[in-house]
């Protein structure tokens, strides 16, 4: 299939970004089941939490021509989400690509595949997530294939350009703005209650009593 370039996604709402900078990402997992990348994609460089809009790139096998082109259009706060088409041998991201994205202000890179040059990328501070590392890299083969700002699959999740991307050492999450806006206030409220919950546990309270789980268990088998 020939190369496809979709329109640049809209910026994420400033108020939503502010809320996401404060929320605990795993709290979202209390309420949602979809959008969580499989655990094989882990943070390999950087320490900062990732919050940003998805810029999606689909490459073809060994060819990273499309990715090099797309990197030049990176804007501050973008998270590059790279679909390698299932290739876990060739690394499309290394020192030069990471330098480009870092200089242009990317918030992070998520690769459903492998990356390279970990020692050289680490000083940039750019959070890079991938399935592992390799010394075998992609090439500039100039194939008329792949896409930029098109739907991709990363970690088993379909990601659309402009989706919210959240990532930290726990894992990676993708969702539409609408999905995240519908749940973020509830998640923030939960986060605000947790210190009090922990304080009660330190005081001797039982977790099941505080959460209602023990009451539910007491009713098991009752009819």
């Amino acid at each position: 299939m020939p190369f496809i370039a979709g329109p640049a996604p809209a910026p994420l709402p400033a108020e939503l970004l502010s809320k996401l900078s404060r929320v605990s990402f795993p709290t979202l997992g209390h309420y949602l089941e979809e959008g969580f990348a499989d655990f094989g994609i882990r943070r390999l460089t950087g320490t900062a939490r990732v919050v940003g809009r998805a810029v999606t790139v689909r490459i073809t096998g060994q060819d990273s021509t499309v990715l090099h082109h797309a990197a030049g259009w990176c804007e501050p706060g973008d998270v590059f989400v790279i679909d390698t088409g299932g290739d876990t041998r060739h690394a499309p991201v290394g020192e030069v690509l990471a330098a480009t994205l870092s200089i242009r202000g990317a918030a992070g890179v998520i690769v459903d595949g492998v990356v390279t040059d970990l020692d050289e990328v680490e000083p940039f501070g750019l959070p890079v997530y991938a399935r592992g590392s390799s010394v075998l890299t992609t090439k500039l083969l100039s194939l008329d294939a792949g896409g930029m700002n098109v739907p991709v699959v990363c970690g088993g999740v379909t990601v659309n350009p402009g989706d919210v991307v959240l990532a930290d050492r726990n894992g990676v999450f993708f969702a539409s703005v609408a999905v995240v806006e519908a749940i973020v206030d509830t998640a923030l409220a939960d986060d605000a209650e947790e210190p009090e919950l922990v304080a009660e546990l330190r005081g001797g309270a039982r977790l099941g009593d505080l959460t209602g789980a023990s009451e539910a268990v007491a009713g098991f088998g009752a009819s």
Side-chain angles (χ1 to χ4, degrees):
M1 181 180 295
F3 169 72
I4 300 173
L12 297 181
E15 182 179 4
L16 179 61
L17 284 172
S18 176
K19 291 178 180 180
L20 291 175
S21 71
R22 305 192 307 272
V23 76
S24 172
F25 299 161
T27 303
L28 301 174
H30 296 342
Y31 299 97
L32 300 171
E33 280 294 324
E34 305 299 326
F36 300 90
D38 75 58
F39 64 86
I41 298 180
R42 310 299 299 174
R43 186 173 68 195
L44 300 184
T45 69
T47 58
R49 298 196 331 156
V50 173
V51 177
R53 70 170 182 176
V55 170
T56 58
V57 181
R58 184 173 65 240
I59 64 174
T60 303
Q62 304 171 29
D63 185 27
S64 56
T65 303
V66 170
L67 179 57
H68 281 224
H69 167 73
W73 294 93
C74 175
E75 296 183 5
D78 284 346
V79 182
F80 267 55
V81 181
I82 303 170
D83 179 348
T84 65
D87 188 305
T88 56
R89 297 183 65 235
H90 299 86
V93 175
E95 180 180 10
V96 173
L97 198 289
T100 298
L101 297 179
S102 178
I103 290 166
R104 298 187 68 86
V109 184
I110 317 292
V111 183
D112 195 340
V114 294
V115 296
T116 196
D117 293 337
L118 295 182
D119 290 339
E120 291 79 8
V121 171
E122 187 67 52
F124 300 146
L126 180 71
V128 175
Y129 290 71
R131 294 188 180 277
S133 59
S134 174
V135 295
L136 176 62
T137 69
T138 53
K139 283 77 175 171
L140 293 177
L141 302 177
S142 300
L143 300 179
D144 183 6
M148 171 185 174
N149 285 324
V150 295
V152 300
V153 176
C154 186
V157 179
T158 298
V159 185
N160 292 296
D163 277 354
V164 174
V165 184
L166 306 177
D168 62 13
R169 66 183 300 184
N170 298 295
V172 182
F173 172 70
F174 308 103
S176 68
V177 169
V179 166
V180 178
E181 285 184 328
I183 200 65
V184 66
D185 288 333
T186 300
L188 284 168
D190 274 7
D191 289 344
E193 293 174 357
E194 285 195 1
E196 181 179 348
L197 179 65
V198 172
E200 292 187 64
L201 292 170
R202 293 186 189 280
R206 292 185 173 89
L207 179 60
D209 291 337
L210 298 177
T211 63
S214 293
E215 181 180 358
V217 170
F220 290 172
S223 60

